[in-house]
Amino acid sequence: MRLTKFTDLALRSVMRLAVLKDGDDPLATREVAETVGVPYTHAAKAITRLQRLGVVEARRGRGGGLTLTDLGRHASVGWLVRELEGDGEVVACEGENPCPLRGACRLRGALRAAQEAFYSTLDPLTVADLVASPTGPVLVGLTVRPPG
């Protein structure tokens, strides 16, 4: 199974926010985008989706920025990936050119089971687990904030 670029970006953004320590200034969306190496517009879309999921809190204005919520810090990676990827099928059996086997196909069910096994493997992991050493220190080092 392959994750969408959107999910990959959202996970990297959450991981970057997860290494902020108490007392650190919240990051702006632009800083997250630069840190994970993507265009600002792509990061903004991912951050908006993460906000809707309750994983990221965004505050505007002076002293504002992005922070992870408690849910975001302790969320199951499996849950988060399911939410970001949606509940789509691995293969498209319907649509403009429906598969002629769709009524008697065993492949679709097997692929669905494999997809669930993929997600189930991620279920025990939390965002906090993803940023444990050695990953966390590397993430912190990716952003050099100007003084002041």
Side-chain angles (χ1 to χ4, degrees), residues 46-70:
I47 295 297
T48 298
R49 179 76 171 111
L50 292 167
Q51 279 181 265
R52 288 188 185 128
L53 291 172
V55 172
V56 170
E57 180 182 351
R59 282 178 261 131
R60 293 184 179 266
R62 189 177 185 119
L66 305 171
T67 56
L68 276 188
T69 63
D70 283 338

Side-chain angles (χ1 to χ4, degrees), residues 77-97:
V77 175
W79 169 81
L80 188 53
V81 170
R82 280 181 187 92
E83 292 295 317
L84 293 167
E85 287 289 311
D87 195 26
E89 294 288 334
V90 177
V91 294
C93 299
E94 306 296 331
E96 189 175 311
N97 295 313

Side-chain angles (χ1 to χ4, degrees), residues 16-17 20-32 56-68 143 145:
R16 177 57 186 102
L17 293 173
L20 289 176
K21 296 191 180 3
D22 289 338
D24 285 352
D25 290 333
L27 294 176
T29 302
R30 190 163 307 282
E31 291 173 299
V32 172
V56 170
E57 180 182 351
R59 282 178 261 131
R60 293 184 179 266
R62 189 177 185 119
L66 305 171
T67 56
L68 276 188
T143 302
R145 300 179 74 155

